[in-house]
Amino acid sequence: MKIELHGINNTYPLICERGILSSCSSYFDKNKKVLIVTDENIPSSYYQDILNNIDQSYVYILPPGEKSKSFDNYLKIQSRLVELSFTRNDVIVSCGGGVVSDLTGFVASTYKRGIKWISIPTSALSMIDASVGGKTAVDFDSIKNVIGTFYSPSLLLLDMDTLKSLPQRELTNGLFEALKMGFIMDKSILELMEDPFNNLEEIIVKSIIAKDEVVAIDPKEENLRRILNFGHTIGHALESHFSLGETLKHGEAVGYGMRFVIDDSLKEALKHYSSKLNLPQINISKNDIPSLMKYIRNDKKASNKGVSFVFVDSSYKTNIKSLNNEEIERLIAKEVESWHQ
Amino acid sequence: MKIELHGINNTYPLICERGILSSCSSYFDKNKKVLIVTDENIPSSYYQDILNNIDQSYVYILPPGEKSKSFDNYLKIQSRLVELSFTRNDVIVSCGGGVVSDLTGFVASTYKRGIKWISIPTSALSMIDASVGGKTAVDFDSIKNVIGTFYSPSLLLLDMDTLKSLPQRELTNGLFEALKMGFIMDKSILELMEDPFNNLEEIIVKSIIAKDEVVAIDPKEENLRRILNFGHTIGHALESHFSLGETLKHGEAVGYGMRFVIDDSLKEALKHYSSKLNLPQINISKNDIPSLMKYIRNDKKASNKGVSFVFVDSSYKTNIKSLNNEEIERLIAKEVESWHQ
């Protein structure tokens, strides 16, 4: 399947085919240098075909996990590109999950002011979320994604076979983003969520198409695109609070984040689908609120007047409201209290 | 004078007025936070009006010089923005020369994926060169501008009074870029170069308009804009070779760089105008060529096939040619030898 997606300054093809990685070098110009950025958990078989068929191809292997999305690694990859005399006509490839994709995209957007980037997401989360919409980033000063750019790859390759070897929690990590798309864009995704693991491929493709529709209208998040932050403002704070992804994965944090801002009439449905996705328990009490507030005030969507929240009403419509500090504290306290009843 | 310039993704106004800095806070939204980035050599009177009239205004003062255009400073400014809880609706101001402008622009383009940037260039070089065209950058691994973005300010304020206090060598540093524009875009600038210090204001404005015409057609340097690199490929190498601006300033390096790629029939004119601008002597011999070659191969305009050079022929027309390593070495050797005759 081939779909044309809307990039930030360009459109680019998504090619989705089982087994495609075993012959993916055919999509590359064999006269250009290639640096593949990946992590230790990614089987080298995913990019072996590139190494076998492109003379000047190199691999940069990161330790796995959110901690790798650091400036330190950003600079190490930049150094490698300088050392290998990469020009702006050469190619950088991300092969892995969201961490690899966000970090590599940020490197690609800033090395010599922008070089070609081919994105190969291999986790459900990076297929659904990081691969579409051109957001690149690193974490800094314990704030997630606080530094980054808008920059699109020139090609996106999906091989659903890469999901076979993943533990279930990695799949659900991505499926919470798909669940979000179900509530705000495409209710047919919710129906597929009754049996998420058997409907995996369909859920992922539908989610990508839904997200792309939003990004096409508002690439730089000035209006409509803000609805994609449904569940994310408190979600990111929960994720940061629970130590950058070690206790709570991004998708799971969004799974909880949505509870604070969804209409009461849809809360049972949200919990129902969340349990299908095995949302883990978290320990949270009133004492955690000051820490959450600190993270929320540093959210990219915050302004001096307040912080924007995306609410979903009983008819699945989104409303964006700006809340001041007191209102946010009340919103969080009310929901947290209800969990302890 | 107010002129609309062509940005990367937006147009933006240039406002040029003597004495404008004493009341420049009128161009700011007083409800937004402002961080002014400047250096120790810039008189605080240039931005005092902002500090006096905007409640949440802050200053970040860099040590002067090219060495400040580092990742270290980039991260320190990012930290300050995080610490002050700047949102993407707040404002970052660059007030100073090209180093301040390039570094601040790179911070602005990447903090929360892009916040508002107001640019106040106070040197001839930054007015002519850094202020137009949206190139932001830091130096890295001893390579100039190897990391950066394309990003435009939302407002450009020029106050020619800031040039009064500058030493003459700072003025000529900028005027070599204007001399370049004279050869490739607007011969009337060359006439003004007969008396450069008395024609300063007219030379600067004409150069900005000429550069903007080029950037409007090709913002991301895919075609026409490459002519602006006239004198820069070898110029950058000379600048790096002579220790990042301590011995040879950027403009002066371009002054020498143009000699390698201008038609013999125009070489005397180039030398004539260069002497009006007091181009300092440099010591260079065949022994320096390997070092220059290393820098040239890392130039952003290099590709695997060769490095692009902009040549100017006897009728002031530009031609872009890609040269391989041997051809580049011959080009450099020929010119360097002629200096020792």
Side-chain angles (χ1 to χ4, degrees):
Chain A
M1 181 189 353
K2 186 176 171 179
I3 304 168
E4 200 72 12
L5 297 176
H6 303 82
I8 297 304
N9 289 310
N10 56 304
T11 64
Y12 61 99
L14 153 67
I15 297 170
C16 176
E17 210 178 296
R18 282 187 181 273
I20 197 176
L21 293 186
S22 63
S23 62
C24 66
S25 68
S26 62
Y27 293 97
F28 288 73
D29 178 343
K30 295 192 175 43
N31 297 314
K32 304 289 182 200
K33 292 177 192 169
V34 176
L35 179 71
I36 301 155
V37 180
T38 186
D39 77 41
E40 287 161 10
N41 286 346
I42 304 298
S44 63
S45 59
Y46 290 1
Y47 47 82
Q48 195 60 48
D49 185 61
I50 302 173
L51 296 177
N52 288 349
N53 290 293
I54 296 175
D55 282 348
Q56 296 190 75
S57 52
Y58 310 90
V59 189
Y60 191 100
I61 301 178
L62 296 159
E66 183 74 27
K67 282 199 176 119
S68 282
K69 217 166 97 177
S70 65
F71 253 103
D72 192 38
N73 284 324
Y74 169 84
L75 289 179
K76 282 182 186 158
I77 299 170
Q78 296 279 16
S79 270
R80 191 92 177 98
L81 293 169
V82 169
E83 182 184 76
L84 294 167
S85 298
F86 265 54
T87 73
R88 47 166 77 154
N89 297 310
D90 293 318
V91 182
I92 184 161
V93 175
S94 55
C95 182
V99 168
V100 168
S101 167
D102 286 1
L103 172 65
T104 307
F106 186 44
V107 170
S109 69
T110 55
Y111 180 73
K112 301 193 177 182
R113 298 197 187 93
I115 74 169
K116 194 172 166 179
W117 168 32
I118 294 180
S119 170
I120 305 176
T122 62
S123 70
L125 180 60
S126 61
M127 287 181 182
I128 292 169
D129 197 31
S131 73
V132 200
K135 285 191 177 180
T136 79
V138 292
D139 303 332
F140 181 62
D141 278 1
S142 303
I143 315 277
K144 264 187 72 73
N145 299 332
V146 72
I147 299 180
T149 49
F150 287 101
Y151 194 73
S152 296
S154 48
L155 174 64
L156 179 59
L157 294 174
L158 295 200
D159 184 343
M160 297 286 177
D161 281 350
T162 60
L163 302 180
K164 280 184 189 166
S165 61
L166 293 179
Q168 206 185 60
R169 195 173 172 194
E170 280 305 321
L171 296 182
T172 58
N173 188 25
L175 288 170
F176 279 105
E177 287 284 350
L179 181 58
K180 177 196 80 177
M181 296 310 291
F183 278 107
I184 62 173
M185 284 290 290
D186 181 354
K187 267 186 272 183
S188 75
I189 295 172
L190 297 181
E191 289 158 29
L192 295 166
M193 281 289 172
E194 288 295 344
D195 190 3
F197 304 108
N198 280 321
N199 293 325
L200 197 56
E201 191 159 343
E202 204 179 342
I203 289 172
I204 290 174
V205 171
K206 274 184 183 253
S207 297
I208 289 176
I209 292 171
K211 181 170 178 184
D212 186 58
E213 272 176 42
V214 176
V215 173
I217 295 168
D218 176 25
K220 292 208 172 169
E221 200 168 333
E222 288 155 331
N223 296 295
L224 177 69
R225 184 168 176 171
R226 297 191 293 156
I227 68 169
L228 297 179
N229 293 314
F230 174 49
H232 277 64
T233 308
I234 297 176
H236 276 153
L238 289 166
E239 197 180 351
S240 297
H241 179 69
F242 287 101
S243 296
L244 288 173
E246 283 179 1
T247 314
L248 206 57
K249 291 186 175 289
H250 173 77
E252 294 163 353
V254 171
Y256 277 111
M258 290 188 282
R259 285 201 194 170
F260 293 79
V261 283
I262 200 165
D263 191 82
D264 282 345
S265 63
L266 295 181
K267 211 167 271 182
E268 281 312 308
L270 173 59
K271 286 182 184 170
H272 167 72
Y273 296 122
S274 297
S275 71
K276 293 265 176 194
L277 299 176
N278 308 316
L279 186 61
Q281 288 293 321
I282 51 171
N283 267 321
I284 190 163
S285 74
K286 276 193 168 180
N287 298 333
D288 298 303
I289 295 179
S291 160
L292 295 176
M293 288 301 295
K294 183 187 138 237
Y295 288 114
I296 288 170
R297 276 192 298 269
N298 264 310
D299 190 277
K300 285 184 295 307
K301 270 70 71 178
S303 79
N304 297 336
K305 284 177 198 158
V307 181
S308 283
F309 285 81
V310 181
F311 291 88
V312 169
D313 72 13
S314 59
S315 53
Y316 298 85
K317 287 218 179 74
T318 53
N319 299 295
I320 297 178
K321 281 183 220 158
S322 181
L323 304 188
N324 64 30
N325 286 348
E326 271 176 47
E327 291 168 322
I328 300 167
E329 279 187 45
R330 267 206 303 277
L331 184 78
I332 297 176
K334 188 184 150 213
E335 183 62 28
V336 167
E337 264 169 41
S338 77
W339 298 358
H340 290 280
Q341 279 162 7
Chain B
M1 180 186 355
K2 186 175 171 180
I3 304 168
E4 201 71 14
L5 297 175
H6 303 82
I8 298 304
N9 289 311
N10 55 304
T11 65
Y12 61 100
L14 153 66
I15 297 171
C16 177
E17 211 178 297
R18 281 187 183 275
I20 197 175
L21 293 186
S22 62
S23 62
C24 67
S25 67
S26 62
Y27 293 97
F28 288 72
D29 179 341
K30 296 191 174 44
N31 298 314
K32 304 291 182 198
K33 292 179 193 168
V34 175
L35 180 71
I36 301 155
V37 180
T38 186
D39 76 41
E40 288 160 10
N41 287 346
I42 304 299
S44 63
S45 60
Y46 290 1
Y47 47 83
Q48 195 60 48
D49 185 61
I50 302 173
L51 296 177
N52 288 347
N53 290 293
I54 296 174
D55 281 348
Q56 295 191 76
S57 52
Y58 310 89
V59 189
Y60 191 99
I61 301 179
L62 296 159
E66 182 75 26
K67 285 202 174 116
S68 281
K69 217 165 101 178
S70 64
F71 251 106
D72 192 37
N73 284 323
Y74 169 83
L75 290 178
K76 282 181 185 158
I77 299 170
Q78 296 278 16
S79 270
R80 191 92 178 95
L81 293 169
V82 169
E83 182 184 75
L84 293 167
S85 298
F86 265 54
T87 72
R88 49 165 76 156
N89 296 312
D90 293 317
V91 181
I92 185 161
V93 175
S94 54
C95 181
V99 167
V100 168
S101 166
D102 286 2
L103 172 65
T104 307
F106 186 44
V107 171
S109 69
T110 54
Y111 180 73
K112 299 192 178 182
R113 297 196 189 95
I115 74 168
K116 195 173 166 179
W117 167 31
I118 294 181
S119 171
I120 306 178
T122 62
S123 70
L125 181 61
S126 62
M127 287 182 184
I128 293 169
D129 198 32
S131 72
V132 201
K135 286 190 176 180
T136 79
V138 292
D139 302 332
F140 180 64
D141 277 1
S142 302
I143 315 277
K144 264 185 73 73
N145 300 331
V146 71
I147 299 180
T149 50
F150 287 101
Y151 194 73
S152 297
S154 49
L155 174 64
L156 179 59
L157 293 175
L158 295 200
D159 185 342
M160 296 285 176
D161 282 350
T162 60
L163 302 180
K164 280 183 187 165
S165 61
L166 293 179
Q168 206 185 59
R169 195 174 173 194
E170 279 304 322
L171 296 181
T172 57
N173 188 25
L175 288 170
F176 278 106
E177 287 284 349
L179 181 59
K180 179 196 78 178
M181 296 311 291
F183 278 107
I184 62 173
M185 283 292 288
D186 181 354
K187 267 186 272 183
S188 75
I189 294 171
L190 297 182
E191 289 157 31
L192 295 166
M193 281 288 172
E194 288 295 343
D195 190 3
F197 304 109
N198 280 320
N199 294 324
L200 197 57
E201 191 160 342
E202 204 178 340
I203 289 172
I204 290 173
V205 171
K206 274 184 183 252
S207 297
I208 289 176
I209 292 171
K211 182 170 177 185
D212 186 57
E213 273 177 41
V214 175
V215 173
I217 294 168
D218 176 25
K220 292 210 172 165
E221 199 169 334
E222 287 156 332
N223 296 295
L224 178 69
R225 182 167 177 170
R226 297 192 294 156
I227 67 168
L228 297 179
N229 293 313
F230 174 49
H232 276 65
T233 309
I234 297 176
H236 276 152
L238 288 166
E239 197 181 351
S240 297
H241 179 68
F242 287 101
S243 294
L244 288 173
E246 283 177 4
T247 313
L248 207 56
K249 290 185 174 290
H250 174 76
E252 294 163 352
V254 171
Y256 276 112
M258 289 189 281
R259 286 203 192 168
F260 294 79
V261 283
I262 200 165
D263 191 81
D264 282 344
S265 63
L266 295 181
K267 211 167 272 181
E268 281 312 307
L270 174 59
K271 286 182 185 170
H272 167 72
Y273 297 122
S274 296
S275 71
K276 293 266 178 196
L277 299 177
N278 308 316
L279 186 62
Q281 288 293 322
I282 51 170
N283 267 322
I284 190 165
S285 73
K286 277 193 165 179
N287 298 333
D288 298 303
I289 295 179
S291 162
L292 295 176
M293 289 301 295
K294 183 188 137 233
Y295 288 115
I296 288 169
R297 276 193 296 269
N298 265 310
D299 190 278
K300 285 184 296 304
K301 271 69 70 177
S303 78
N304 296 337
K305 285 176 194 159
V307 181
S308 283
F309 285 81
V310 182
F311 291 89
V312 169
D313 72 13
S314 59
S315 53
Y316 299 84
K317 288 219 178 74
T318 52
N319 299 295
I320 297 177
K321 281 181 220 159
S322 181
L323 304 187
N324 63 31
N325 286 348
E326 271 176 47
E327 291 167 320
I328 300 167
E329 280 187 42
R330 267 205 303 277
L331 184 79
I332 297 176
K334 188 184 150 215
E335 182 62 27
V336 166
E337 264 169 42
S338 76
W339 300 358
H340 291 280
Q341 277 164 9

